[in-house]
Amino acid sequence: MKGREIEKIAKDIRRSIGRTYKYKQSDYINWKIKDGYFFCVDTSLYYDTKTHFMVPELCVKPVYMDDLYWKIIYPNHEMKLPDSRRGNGVLSHLNEKIWERKTPKYLNAEFKVEEFEQIMSDIYLNAEQEICVFLEKYPNPDLFGKFLAANGCGGTLSKILVLINEGNFAEAAQLSKERLDSGRGVTITYVIGEGENRQEKSEFEFILEYCQSKIAESD
């Protein structure tokens, strides 16, 4: 079976099973918004001439996090992106992993529809179980900071946005400055203006400036 055939069949199976759990589909992700959170199941299928495999994962973030990020980066432009872009677009890097299925990583070299259907059924069932556990612990998006703390995400972009949402601009500014000074990790850089006015600014530069302006307003 050719790669394109496999891809189409796999996509149809994901869509069909995902619908039973109220997921929508966009490219390689299936997603839904529940209780103020964006949940995303990534089941990208990788294959070559000898084998095919996937490492499915479930990610989450409060919806407010995307909205706040967009407001900081594009203060004069209302966000009109489809919700799917929260999972496979410019906002997807804000997702935090809840769960990853590490086995079985490799499927049979020959793609088998029945095998793939069963694997996908198991994945969605496991994902729903993880979502239920997550919502029992963090039923309100305002509790997302506790999730980050419990999972060692103290200096991440998500943590900084949580602090801003809480109105803690001073700490958010400090973490942003530390991230800029250290140069740690990959960050998104945006190009602003044209010609002589053209600038490249890191997302953390935007955030630091935003926090500093909020601090100045309160003085």
Side-chain angles (χ1 to χ4, degrees):
M1 190 181 298
K2 295 182 179 180
R4 288 186 178 180
E5 293 179 86
I6 293 175
E7 193 172 298
K8 184 180 184 305
I9 293 172
K11 189 173 183 178
D12 290 342
I13 291 173
R14 289 194 296 108
R15 180 185 296 108
S16 177
I17 297 175
R19 280 176 179 168
T20 65
Y21 295 101
K22 300 183 179 179
Y23 284 89
K24 296 180 181 181
Q25 182 164 295
S26 179
D27 295 330
Y28 56 89
I29 66 164
N30 292 74
W31 61 273
K32 64 181 174 181
I33 293 176
K34 184 176 182 179
D35 295 347
Y37 289 102
F38 178 86
F39 293 99
C40 175
V41 179
D42 183 340
T43 51
S44 301
L45 186 63
Y46 306 94
Y47 50 86
D48 54 33
T49 57
K50 297 181 179 180
T51 187
H52 58 282
F53 68 95
M54 61 182 171
V55 185
E57 63 181 36
L58 170 68
C59 294
V60 65
K61 60 184 167 183
V63 172
Y64 78 70
M65 190 173 289
D66 288 335
D67 299 340
L68 178 57
Y69 181 85
W70 187 271
K71 177 182 176 181
I72 293 172
I73 305 298
Y74 302 105
N76 300 315
H77 295 84
E78 180 183 355
M79 188 172 75
K80 296 181 179 179
L81 298 175
D83 283 331
S84 62
R85 303 300 284 173
R86 299 176 188 271
N88 63 0
V90 67
L91 301 170
S92 61
H93 71 303
L94 302 179
N95 295 337
E96 295 289 348
K97 190 184 300 183
I98 297 180
W99 166 80
E100 178 181 270
R101 178 171 177 172
K102 297 183 179 179
T103 56
K105 178 177 180 180
Y106 292 91
L107 309 177
N108 291 333
E110 179 185 356
F111 182 85
K112 296 181 179 179
V113 173
E114 296 79 8
E115 177 192 41
F116 190 75
E117 286 178 335
Q118 184 58 56
I119 289 173
M120 291 308 303
S121 294
D122 292 343
I123 288 171
Y124 277 105
L125 178 59
N126 290 346
E128 285 304 289
Q129 292 170 341
E130 292 294 330
I131 289 174
C132 287
V133 171
F134 175 87
L135 290 175
E136 286 180 2
K137 292 181 179 178
Y138 315 103
N140 189 309
D142 289 338
L143 298 173
F144 194 64
K146 293 186 176 180
F147 165 78
L148 296 177
N151 289 273
C153 304
T156 65
L157 176 57
S158 295
K159 172 62 176 177
I160 293 170
L161 292 173
V162 165
L163 289 170
I164 293 174
N165 183 64
E166 295 172 346
N168 193 341
F169 301 112
E171 186 175 352
Q174 180 61 35
L175 289 177
S176 298
K177 188 175 185 305
E178 290 175 0
R179 185 67 181 266
L180 285 167
D181 291 343
S182 69
R184 176 172 54 85
V186 177
T187 67
I188 292 180
T189 299
Y190 294 88
V191 177
I192 306 169
E194 298 179 356
E196 294 181 356
N197 297 321
R198 186 178 185 274
Q199 299 181 61
E200 292 187 7
K201 293 174 65 174
S202 160
E203 58 192 352
F204 287 101
E205 290 181 272
F206 278 102
I207 292 171
L208 179 57
E209 291 173 2
Y210 178 83
C211 291
Q212 289 173 336
S213 68
K214 288 295 184 181
I215 293 171
E217 288 175 7
S218 63
D219 288 344

